[in-house]
Amino acid sequence: MRGIVRAIRPLVEPRKFVLTGTPVSESPTNAYPILQILSPEKLPSRAKYDRHFATGEGGYSNLGDLKRLLESVSVRRLKADIRGMPDKIEVVRHCDPTDAQATHYAEVMKGIMAEIEGDPDWAKTLDIACVKLLRCRQVLNHPSILDLGGESGKYLELDSILEEVLSDSEAKVIVWTEWNAAADLLATRYRRYGVAIIDQRTNQDDLAALERTFDGSSTRIIVTTPAKGGTGIDFLARARTSIYIERTYSLVNHKQSMDRIVRRVGDDNTDDPPAVRRVKQIKRSSATIMYLHVPGSVDDVIEYVLRRKLEMTEALLTSDERLVSDGRMHLLRMLRERVCLHN
């Protein structure tokens, strides 16, 4: 009888499914809740799991074990298999900081390095390390965010990009930044083009009104943050250019925000009015994603952190065997080399 019960139990018990685009994102430890739902019998305690897959230096370990565990409970579907997805072009635009910006950066960075080197736990996780770098990242956005004087080299580069892109009367652009203060600066600077802000201060009524009108309105630039605009705001696909003043260090927020203008476009309907058909045609065109990057700065560090997270997730979810495991000491070397800017 017991044997019969064991045999039929899988047929009568509820089936469990988890749908996600990022089962592992910032760290291998992110996978634990999903695995606990799908395969609790294969999991050790949370503390033992964390010790096995995360090192004390902010790195990763034993990722081959996690890869095999994920493969036993998951099926992966790729965007490349979806019809109607526009092409995506990624471009890095190198920017020179202004003299005042470089001076401010060096002063702020030296203070941050003194704080970091006096704190043995600063890189327990990559996210903690990146939070420590907040002020120098803000200086690279614009010194006035920290009430410092001078212009921003990134904003000067953005001036020329927008002038070029928006010379096309149908073009619309998304500008991404991490901070509300920067969103206000950008909205003021480019208001002649028609600007709307989507950030943590935007309420649902304002968002709904913008969604109804954006396709055909005179608003040509959306300034937004990955934390707010990166998820669920699909009307942003009307813009075909996304520009990042700085990358976010959250892989989830970064990938979600990139996808705002890389959305599947539905088939044409013969009843669609000409304006709707034209919008669909625009949305099918290539999406251009630009990153404003100051070489030799903390921008390199954030790019490294994102690439490292992405390589880790791709290696776990595909046949790729590049399982990255370095941590605190490598990040510390990178930061020491980037205390001062040389423009």
Side-chain angles (χ1 to χ4, degrees):
M1 185 64 178
R2 288 180 181 177
I4 295 174
V5 170
R6 282 196 299 269
I8 67 172
R9 180 176 292 161
L11 302 176
V12 298
E13 286 184 342
R15 300 285 179 133
K16 293 177 289 187
F17 297 91
V18 176
L19 301 180
T20 177
T22 50
V24 184
S25 54
E26 312 301 312
S27 163
T29 59
N30 297 150
Y32 190 87
I34 292 176
L35 290 170
Q36 194 172 38
I37 294 171
L38 297 176
S39 188
E41 71 282 355
K42 297 181 180 180
L43 285 183
S45 69
R46 180 62 191 254
K48 186 175 180 180
Y49 176 96
D50 289 350
R51 286 195 301 271
H52 190 66
F53 293 120
T55 71
E57 291 292 316
Y60 314 134
S61 61
N62 301 307
L63 294 187
D65 293 344
L66 181 56
K67 182 171 185 279
R68 287 185 287 274
L69 186 55
L70 287 167
E71 287 175 342
S72 71
V73 297
S74 64
V75 175
R76 194 180 190 203
R77 295 291 182 260
L78 303 177
K79 288 181 182 174
D81 301 327
I82 301 174
R83 293 177 53 194
M85 295 289 284
D87 294 332
K88 179 175 65 179
I89 302 167
E90 295 187 60
V91 178
V92 177
R93 294 283 290 252
H94 287 166
C95 309
D96 292 326
T98 63
D99 291 342
Q101 196 173 23
T103 300
H104 296 318
Y105 175 89
E107 292 172 351
V108 171
M109 191 66 170
K110 287 174 183 176
I112 290 172
M113 287 304 297
E115 180 183 342
I116 285 174
E117 295 187 319
D119 178 5
D121 293 332
W122 73 272
K124 268 190 172 176
T125 71
L126 288 175
D127 288 352
I128 290 175
C130 292
V131 168
K132 293 273 190 182
L133 302 173
L134 172 68
R135 286 168 291 159
C136 58
R137 296 178 66 217
Q138 289 176 328
V139 168
L140 288 186
N141 182 297
H142 201 290
S144 66
I145 295 176
L146 295 181
D147 295 323
L148 300 171
E151 179 59 282
S152 167
K154 288 190 175 185
Y155 284 35
L156 294 174
E157 182 70 16
L158 183 58
D159 290 345
S160 62
I161 293 172
L162 291 177
E163 183 177 359
E164 177 183 350
V165 172
L166 295 178
S167 63
D168 177 353
S169 61
E170 290 186 311
K172 293 178 184 278
V173 175
I174 310 168
V175 178
W176 298 91
T177 182
E178 289 269 74
W179 302 288
N180 293 350
D184 292 338
L185 286 173
L186 292 161
T188 299
R189 189 180 185 107
Y190 300 117
R191 61 187 169 193
R192 67 186 182 278
Y193 292 117
V195 181
I197 294 176
I198 299 175
D199 62 16
Q200 289 78 358
R201 300 166 294 181
T202 306
N203 63 45
Q204 287 304 118
D205 290 341
D206 291 339
L207 196 59
L210 189 57
E211 180 176 12
R212 288 193 300 271
T213 61
F214 183 57
D215 284 352
S217 75
S218 59
T219 299
R220 308 194 64 197
I221 300 174
I222 298 289
V223 179
T224 186
T225 62
K228 179 68 175 182
T231 304
I233 306 182
D234 292 344
F235 68 83
L236 295 180
R238 169 61 176 81
R240 306 315 302 140
T241 303
S242 247
I243 304 170
Y244 289 80
I245 305 296
E246 61 277 316
R247 292 174 172 91
T248 176
Y249 57 81
S250 165
L251 181 62
V252 171
N253 286 346
H254 180 67
K255 292 179 72 173
Q256 290 279 3
S257 66
M258 288 175 63
D259 287 346
R260 290 315 94 202
I261 65 168
V262 186
R263 311 298 298 172
R264 183 182 180 278
V265 181
D267 296 331
D268 287 332
N269 187 323
T270 55
D271 296 330
D272 286 340
V276 172
R277 290 200 298 272
R278 178 55 183 157
V279 167
K280 287 184 177 179
Q281 183 181 9
I282 291 171
K283 290 179 179 180
R284 290 190 185 98
S285 63
S286 297
T288 300
I289 299 173
M290 296 186 184
Y291 306 101
L292 304 188
H293 188 98
V294 176
S297 75
V298 71
D299 282 353
D300 293 342
V301 178
I302 302 301
E303 181 187 22
Y304 160 77
V305 167
L306 275 177
R307 185 174 65 249
R308 182 166 175 262
K309 290 177 179 178
L310 183 60
E311 287 175 349
M312 180 267 294
T313 60
E314 289 300 312
L316 287 171
L317 299 175
T318 68
S319 60
D320 193 337
E321 297 296 336
R322 296 171 301 159
L323 301 180
V324 187
S325 62
D326 56 303
R328 179 182 189 275
M329 296 313 298
H330 182 72
L331 275 176
L332 191 57
R333 285 195 299 272
M334 289 185 72
L335 289 172
R336 285 172 177 158
E337 293 168 359
R338 288 160 177 80
V339 171
C340 296
L341 295 176
H342 305 284
N343 56 340

